Amino acid sequence: MKNQMWRNDLLAGMFLLPFFLIYVVFTIFPIFKGLQMSFYDWSLIEQGAFAGFSQYTALFTDPGFWQSLWNTTLFVILSTPGMIILALVLALLANINAGPKLRTFLRGSYFIPSILSVSVISYIAIFMLQPYSGIVNNMLNTFGYEGQVYWLANPALAWLSIVGVTLWWTVGFNFILFLTSLQNIPDMFYEAAEIDGATRWQMFKNITLPQLIPISRVIFLLQVLASFKVFAQILLITDGGPGKSTRPLIQYIYEMGFEQYDLGYAAAMSYVLFFILLIFSVIQIRSGGQGRMI
Amino acid sequence: MKKTVFAGMVLLFTAAGCQSQDAGSSTETGPVEVEMWSLFSGGDQAYMQSLIDGFNESQKKYEVVMPALSAADDHYTKVVTSVAANRGPDLAVAHASIIPEFYNLGLTKPIDGPAEAAGLNLTEVNENILNRLTMKDGNVHSYPIDTHPTVMFFNKTVLDEAGLLTESGEVDMKETPEGFIDFYKRAQEALPDTIPLAVPSVGYDAFTSWWAFYYQMGGTDIYSDDLQEPTVTLDTETAVEAAEYMKSLFHEEGIIPKNITDPYEQFQTDRALSLMTGVWGTGIWETDESFEFIAQPIPTLFEEPATYGDSHTLFIPEQKSTTDEKTAGAAAFMNYLHENQAQWAKAGHIPANDEAVASEAFQEMPYRSDYADVVEDVEQPSGTIYSNMSIDVMMRNLDEIWAGRVTPEEGIRSMEQELDELVK
């Protein structure tokens, strides 16, 4: 019996080992290596002198760091509400009893953009938003607007474009989470309400919304974390421009590390971002009360 | 028991799959493989491939292979990291402006010895360019294949339509700041729907145009010529003045429409009269036989002729995997390029081999001879480890000026500050 258990453990261990090795090499090890790097002058190819906290103190007086951190925060502020509200609205629409065919179509069309890669959606966006020949400007012209809108050349419009594209691209994931949660609300709640003579709005307000609160917290946290990590679509659509007005923190980290070969400083900035996210997550989990996160 | 054995096998296979594979090693009998990474795109890439094919056919000892290209943006990052990990190419294309940076990182091998062994006479290379590639240790660290200055292109059909050609078929422009603007005003009057000068308001072309005007006004080098610790020696006043002139073309004068995205296409489809860009334009547009254009140096609007330019070069990375044999192969290919630089000039570039420039093969090519002399007036970024990085800084700050979000003074001041920070 004991022998059998030992063998089971071994078997489980062997199945876990390949993933565990990859996890250690590509996730755990870089985390600690990054921390070490942040305390050294470290070029792209070699380790330099010990720098102590000097990289961290340098951050505070670096306008590039503050500007890109603000840009990232701005993206979080601009994208998160839309990402949650739109996902909820779409999920409610897809949950309406409107015949199986329409339902499948709606669910599919909301989710399909999420499976496209970031380079594909970015190039579609650039193509559509081009002045003179892009479809967006051509449509505006058809509807009577004269002249050209320079979507990616004006900071405010560039943000609008980036947030809009991201919304279209990733809202499907939140939508699926909301939809699953909607389907998990027991029918008996609605049946009981119907017997009591509740209107549809009352049912929505007093049953649906409260039942969605736990998942909303999860979505909110995941969304904020995801938005803080914004990088690829901005790099590809505006390259941080016009000027530096849309350059997010991760792009600045990338530029410092891989274009200016200052990996130590880049690592220090990565850790600052990590701590911001950590603090945010702890506050969020604490405020949610025990056991309500999952 | 069977399950345990099966799991063990899965594990073994996984481990085997993780093992590294030595890519690109030569076989015992075949030619020695020399792997080259390039940053070329479009026409350049095709011309380089035909030269590689020619080299491979000309001898049996070496075979140069050029894997699928990477975007120019991350080419350098890839080269640096892979060479540091001893997994880099045996030969890599790099701009002359980045060679000091690579030399400083210890990534480049001196080529004097291998070149001599391969019969390549480096004294035939244009002296100015060779000096830029000769590093502190007194050795040449990269082999230049060309110079690619920024020049001006005019669409001949549109010029003719606007009545801006002289009787002898030349561009009817007076080379003064006012004459330049006046020329485009006449173009606008004659053809209001045509773009007079197609330069995107962000990026490379506008930056190189500013650079040309800055040096034409007598501007000094951006950095002092110190490899590791240069100081910023930008002539602020002239820089602002050049930026003001360039900005006026976008704004007050309205000669360059804002935010155009595809100047090459607009030029080729007769929607734009002219543009300023690298000489590779020649290689692109001359393949369209029905398309007529004029290529000429950027007009000297101010005191002295000057333009922006850089050179494509090939360097041999300093790493264990580049054996003596591969180094010799790389040098043999350099020698082949040296002898056939006129063929590379088909891409539009001006050969770095002075003899190739003088050769009949080059002189007989259309367009190139119209701008080959520009080489003498090219102002390249100074030879410091920051040259390449500083181009990004300059472009970004200048873009802000062209967009009208900052004044030329503010933009140049911020640019100077950032350049200063970069070298600290």
Side-chain angles (χ1 to χ4, degrees):
Chain A
M1 189 60 192
K2 217 177 182 186
N3 196 16
Q4 181 65 36
M5 266 174 70
W6 181 83
R7 196 184 282 173
N8 276 346
D9 285 352
L10 179 74
L11 198 60
M14 283 171 94
F15 276 109
L16 287 173
L17 198 60
F19 172 76
F20 184 70
L21 282 178
I22 292 171
Y23 188 68
V24 167
V25 171
F26 291 105
T27 307
I28 305 288
F29 172 71
I31 287 176
F32 288 102
K33 191 76 182 167
L35 187 62
Q36 183 200 359
M37 278 180 164
S38 70
F39 290 107
Y40 283 88
D41 276 331
W42 203 300
S43 81
L44 201 50
I45 55 171
E46 60 186 356
Q47 181 180 352
F50 182 71
F53 280 94
S54 66
Q55 322 248 37
Y56 288 93
T57 48
L59 287 176
F60 288 97
T61 52
D62 177 1
F65 170 77
W66 288 111
Q67 194 194 3
S68 49
L69 180 62
W70 163 244
N71 285 344
T72 297
T73 314
L74 183 66
F75 178 78
V76 174
I77 296 169
L78 290 175
S79 66
T80 309
M83 214 56 108
I84 293 172
I85 294 165
L86 185 65
L88 177 62
V89 171
L90 293 180
L92 290 170
L93 282 177
N95 203 35
I96 291 172
N97 221 343
K101 273 191 180 162
L102 183 65
R103 217 157 132 166
T104 316
F105 170 76
L106 286 179
R107 290 178 189 184
S109 53
Y110 299 151
F111 193 70
I112 278 174
S114 303
I115 61 174
L116 295 175
S117 81
V118 64
S119 46
V120 172
I121 62 109
S122 301
Y123 280 99
I124 292 176
I126 293 173
F127 202 65
M128 288 174 66
L129 296 171
Q130 264 175 4
Y132 306 105
S133 53
I135 187 168
V136 176
N137 274 7
N138 278 333
M139 273 167 64
L140 286 177
N141 289 348
T142 318
F143 289 121
Y145 177 83
E146 283 179 20
Q148 295 294 325
V149 182
Y150 304 122
W151 292 100
L152 302 177
N154 167 298
L157 289 176
W159 274 121
L160 186 69
S161 309
I162 291 167
V163 171
V165 169
T166 312
L167 211 59
W168 167 72
W169 177 39
T170 55
V171 77
F173 182 70
N174 294 350
F175 155 75
I176 291 284
L177 293 179
F178 269 128
L179 188 62
T180 325
S181 194
L182 276 176
Q183 287 168 351
N184 279 340
I185 301 175
D187 282 342
M188 59 182 181
F189 290 0
Y190 295 105
E191 284 158 11
E194 213 166 315
I195 291 167
D196 289 343
T199 60
R200 282 195 78 106
W201 169 247
Q202 282 172 325
M203 283 193 230
F204 175 73
K205 201 177 71 171
N206 298 316
I207 301 173
T208 314
L209 275 186
Q211 288 290 315
L212 288 177
I213 286 177
I215 193 72
S216 306
R217 285 179 188 280
V218 176
I219 292 175
F220 179 71
L221 180 65
L222 291 178
Q223 188 55 54
V224 169
L225 296 183
S227 291
F228 257 111
K229 290 192 284 187
V230 65
F231 170 49
Q233 67 267 41
I234 296 187
L235 180 82
L236 291 169
I237 295 174
T238 65
D239 192 18
K244 292 176 231 159
S245 55
T246 60
R247 181 172 67 178
L249 185 56
I250 300 208
Q251 190 185 343
Y252 189 55
I253 292 173
Y254 170 80
E255 284 174 8
M256 278 295 155
F258 294 100
E259 283 173 12
Q260 302 201 6
Y261 308 144
D262 195 350
L263 278 190
Y265 189 56
M269 286 195 284
S270 306
Y271 264 86
V272 171
L273 179 62
F274 168 72
F275 278 110
I276 293 172
L277 294 184
L278 187 70
I279 291 166
F280 189 85
S281 307
V282 169
I283 293 174
Q284 169 70 14
I285 291 170
R286 284 275 164 85
S287 72
Q290 270 134 6
R292 295 188 66 180
M293 272 304 298
I294 304 154
Chain B
M1 189 60 205
K2 262 186 184 168
K3 273 184 188 166
T4 321
V5 173
F6 175 72
M9 280 171 67
V10 169
L11 197 63
L12 256 174
F13 284 125
T14 319
C18 289
Q19 246 173 26
S20 65
Q21 282 167 8
D22 192 9
S25 62
S26 66
T27 53
E28 289 287 325
T29 47
V32 176
E33 196 177 283
V34 177
E35 190 174 316
M36 178 171 112
W37 290 4
S38 89
L39 46 66
F40 298 127
S41 59
D44 286 3
Q45 177 82 354
Y47 290 116
M48 183 46 79
Q49 189 60 53
S50 75
L51 278 157
I52 290 174
D53 293 343
F55 173 72
N56 291 341
E57 273 161 33
S58 73
Q59 45 75 50
K60 288 274 158 293
K61 215 171 156 192
Y62 308 107
E63 190 183 6
V64 173
V65 289
M66 181 168 61
L69 64 150
S70 54
D73 284 356
D74 19 88
H75 170 73
Y76 292 136
T77 309
K78 281 183 187 160
V79 168
V80 174
T81 44
S82 63
V83 172
N86 193 31
R87 297 186 141 259
D90 306 307
L91 192 58
V93 177
H95 283 103
S97 55
I98 206 171
I99 294 297
E101 190 178 323
F102 284 1
Y103 164 73
N104 189 52
L105 289 170
L107 298 178
T108 58
K109 218 178 216 172
I111 62 159
D112 314 64
E116 202 185 328
L120 167 55
N121 185 1
L122 288 174
T123 55
E124 286 167 4
V125 174
N126 181 287
E127 212 184 327
N128 285 338
I129 307 175
L130 200 65
N131 281 342
R132 293 171 42 74
L133 299 169
T134 308
M135 296 294 123
K136 251 187 180 169
D137 63 358
N139 293 315
V140 179
H141 278 256
S142 197
Y143 172 73
I145 54 176
D146 62 39
T147 301
H148 52 82
T150 297
V151 293
M152 272 203 98
F153 292 96
F154 294 91
N155 180 320
K156 215 167 173 177
T157 317
V158 181
L159 269 183
D160 199 24
E161 224 174 291
L164 292 167
L165 277 172
T166 61
E167 273 173 25
S168 54
E170 278 161 17
V171 181
D172 187 13
M173 179 198 292
K174 233 172 124 197
E175 296 202 0
T176 60
E178 300 77 29
F180 188 74
I181 289 167
D182 175 64
F183 169 83
Y184 284 113
K185 291 274 171 202
R186 280 185 286 150
Q188 260 171 337
E189 243 163 67
L191 304 166
D193 290 331
T194 306
I195 298 172
L197 181 55
V199 176
S201 41
V202 289
Y204 187 81
D205 288 347
F207 155 69
T208 60
S209 309
W210 167 81
W211 179 283
F213 294 144
Y214 171 73
Y215 277 98
Q216 287 192 1
M217 290 173 171
T220 49
D221 279 348
I222 310 296
Y223 287 127
S224 63
D225 230 353
D226 190 294
L227 177 71
Q228 281 165 329
E229 289 170 344
T231 48
V232 179
T233 52
L234 181 83
D235 174 352
T236 317
E237 214 170 288
T238 313
V240 172
E241 217 175 299
E244 262 163 7
Y245 186 71
M246 190 68 201
K247 188 191 167 192
S248 76
L249 303 182
F250 283 105
H251 292 260
E252 294 86 346
E253 311 295 350
I255 288 166
I256 311 176
K258 267 181 250 169
N259 306 302
I260 38 177
T261 46
D262 198 350
Y264 285 26
E265 200 221 324
Q266 278 152 341
F267 182 65
Q268 199 172 355
T269 51
D270 297 340
R271 280 179 289 158
L273 172 79
S274 67
L275 46 76
M276 293 195 237
T277 192
V279 289
W280 49 79
T282 304
I284 297 171
W285 294 309
E286 73 180 350
T287 53
D288 179 354
E289 275 173 29
S290 62
F291 185 60
E292 283 189 278
F293 64 97
I294 295 173
Q296 66 177 46
I298 295 210
T300 307
L301 304 184
F302 305 95
E303 283 99 70
E304 48 201 284
T307 188
Y308 179 88
D310 207 337
S311 295
H312 290 121
T313 77
L314 301 179
F315 79 95
I316 305 173
E318 181 73 77
Q319 59 183 345
K320 274 193 221 108
S321 63
T322 303
T323 57
D324 288 350
E325 217 179 9
K326 283 175 186 275
T327 306
F333 181 55
M334 287 176 183
N335 188 39
Y336 180 83
L337 286 178
H338 188 71
E339 286 163 2
N340 294 281
Q341 273 201 11
Q343 201 184 325
W344 174 240
K346 279 185 188 165
H349 312 291
I350 304 164
N353 174 353
D354 282 341
E355 291 195 4
V357 176
S359 73
E360 228 169 271
F362 178 75
Q363 290 295 334
E364 274 174 5
M365 280 186 203
Y367 305 108
R368 280 101 182 143
S369 50
D370 297 334
Y371 56 71
D373 294 340
V374 174
V375 171
E376 300 305 317
D377 308 322
V378 166
E379 293 291 349
Q380 305 204 357
S382 2
T384 79
I385 58 175
Y386 302 103
S387 295
N388 198 61
M389 300 174 199
S390 62
I391 292 174
D392 258 357
V393 171
M394 288 190 266
M395 266 200 280
R396 227 171 232 170
N397 280 293
L398 291 169
D399 288 348
E400 293 288 282
I401 303 179
W402 314 151
R405 277 189 292 276
V406 296
T407 65
E409 290 88 32
E410 288 165 346
I412 296 294
R413 212 179 311 127
S414 140
M415 170 173 124
E416 213 175 350
Q417 219 168 0
E418 280 184 45
L419 289 173
D420 220 31
E421 233 144 70
L422 190 66
V423 302
K424 262 184 200 161

